[in-house]
């Protein structure tokens, strides 16, 4: 995308009622006004579901259409990508959708303890090199951040094209004695994956499917 288009999208994000772009310093000072009050932002008291690294927001939108009785927040640092999801949500309209532009490293500053019911992680960069482990979105440090904001019993969903990411996360969870609800290393060939896992496809997923890559899915909780 050209830089002119990106700038136009950034400007439009500023005016979108369903996009929030908190200042990093405000988050770091634990001064973010929506933390603990997201249901007031939506104007509806319903379970809160996050998609981390949402890109253009296909999963957030797909789940929001299926579950109008839940509130959804797509999180990504790239404003020009989440603009796509936000624009679609405003046009439809989908009133149970918000996009939050921030780093996932700060996720526990944007939500209060126990505020979130479910977290989806869709097609994260697997960060295969050892030196990149600290950026891998299911490493123990990230899991600890998710634990802080999830309700007791809250579920996480990892959908990826990376056998490495799937296996790494599965091994970590087993080693930590955490609850694995469901695991499938090739969801379109092995039966049993939930409908919302096979029927909603993201921008990246469609590209991986064209390349014939298997898609994996893991559902887990951060308790034994
Ligand atoms: C491979 S893309 C997947 C996008 C989308 N989930 C999909 O399947 O089409 C990974 C996304 O994660 C976002 N991302 C990566 N690291 C991030 C971080 N630390 N904080 C916020 N977003 C991040 C990127 O901007 C990118 O949009």
């Amino acid at each position: 995308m050209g830089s002119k288009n990106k700038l136009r999208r950034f400007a439009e994000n500023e005016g979108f009622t369903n996009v929030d772009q908190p200042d990093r310093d405000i988050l770091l000072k634990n001064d973010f006004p929506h933390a603990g009050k997201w249901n007031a932002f939506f104007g509806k008291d319903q379970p809160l579901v996050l998609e981390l690294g949402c890109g253009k927001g296909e999963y957030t939108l797909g789940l929001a259409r299926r579950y109008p009785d839940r509130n959804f927040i797509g999180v990504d640092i790239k404003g020009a990508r989440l603009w796509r999801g936000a624009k679609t949500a405003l046009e439809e309209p989908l009133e149970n959708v918000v996009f939050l532009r921030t780093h996932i490293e700060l996720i526990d500053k944007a939500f209060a303890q126990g505020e979130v019911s479910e977290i989806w992680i869709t097609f994260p960069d697997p960060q295969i090199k050892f030196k990149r482990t600290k950026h891998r979105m299911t490493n123990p440090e990230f899991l600890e951040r998710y634990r802080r904001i999830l309700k007791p019993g809250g579920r996480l969903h990892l959908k990826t094209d990376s056998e490495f990411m799937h296996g790494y996360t599965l091994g970590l969870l087993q080693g930590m004695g955490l609850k694995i609800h469901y695991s499938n290393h090739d969801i379109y060939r092995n039966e049993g994956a939930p409908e919302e896992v096979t029927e909603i496809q993201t921008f990246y997923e469609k590209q991986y499917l064209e390349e014939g890559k298997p898609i994996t899915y893991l559902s887990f909780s951060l308790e034994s």
Side-chain angles (χ1 to χ4, degrees):
M1 189 190 310
S3 55
K4 234 183 177 178
N5 254 339
K6 270 194 187 167
L7 290 176
R8 184 180 52 80
R9 288 184 174 195
F10 293 157
E12 284 189 25
N13 278 345
E14 296 287 336
F16 283 174
T17 50
N18 62 354
V19 173
D20 204 83
Q21 311 188 70
D23 193 271
R24 188 180 168 82
D25 289 340
I26 289 181
L27 288 169
L28 287 171
K29 280 192 224 147
N30 288 316
D31 268 350
F32 183 49
H34 301 311
K37 300 190 181 82
W38 276 105
N39 274 331
F41 188 100
F42 282 95
K44 247 190 186 173
D45 199 0
Q46 8 193 58
L48 189 58
V49 182
L50 309 185
E51 183 193 3
L52 303 181
C54 67
K56 298 181 180 186
E58 290 89 351
Y59 237 89
T60 297
L61 299 174
L63 289 170
R65 290 181 191 113
R66 268 174 186 253
Y67 301 109
D69 56 348
R70 301 180 197 173
N71 292 331
F72 291 87
I73 302 186
V75 182
D76 205 290
I77 194 58
K78 299 234 166 122
R81 288 191 187 171
L82 58 76
W83 170 91
R84 181 60 275 163
K87 181 137 177 92
T88 303
L90 288 173
E91 283 169 356
E92 279 198 31
L94 285 168
E95 283 164 7
N96 57 336
V97 170
V98 162
F99 287 91
L100 177 67
R101 194 177 81 78
T102 193
H103 278 110
I104 295 156
E105 284 79 353
L106 298 175
I107 202 71
D108 53 339
K109 307 283 185 191
F111 298 90
Q113 195 177 350
E115 190 173 15
V116 175
S117 294
E118 266 180 74
I119 295 179
W120 285 78
I121 305 170
T122 52
F123 300 90
D125 185 330
Q127 308 284 5
I128 290 173
K129 286 189 185 157
F130 178 67
K131 274 191 176 165
R132 301 289 300 171
T133 312
K134 64 172 192 268
H135 299 291
R136 205 173 294 145
M137 275 176 53
T138 56
N139 75 23
E141 232 173 288
F142 275 105
L143 293 185
E144 187 46 40
R145 291 181 183 114
Y146 307 152
R147 189 200 302 277
R148 284 189 210 125
I149 61 172
L150 272 171
K151 285 189 190 315
R155 284 215 184 186
L156 290 109
H157 309 264
L158 171 67
K159 193 178 178 191
T160 171
D161 61 300
S162 168
E163 193 64 48
F164 167 82
M165 185 81 179
H166 184 80
Y168 164 82
T169 308
L170 201 53
L172 194 65
L173 297 173
Q174 278 167 338
M176 293 167 91
L178 300 175
K179 180 96 186 147
I180 295 158
H181 300 286
Y182 181 80
S183 170
N184 188 330
H185 69 95
D186 192 346
I187 58 166
Y188 298 107
R189 288 194 189 88
N190 299 329
E191 280 178 21
E195 258 178 39
E196 63 200 29
V197 173
T198 50
E199 289 182 4
I200 305 173
Q201 293 180 345
T202 70
F203 177 75
Y204 275 82
E205 177 172 7
K206 286 184 180 132
Q207 292 184 348
Y208 298 135
L209 287 173
E210 274 176 25
E211 293 166 21
K213 279 184 148 183
I215 305 297
T216 72
Y217 170 68
L218 186 59
S219 161
F220 58 101
S221 297
L222 297 174
E223 47 207 50
S224 44

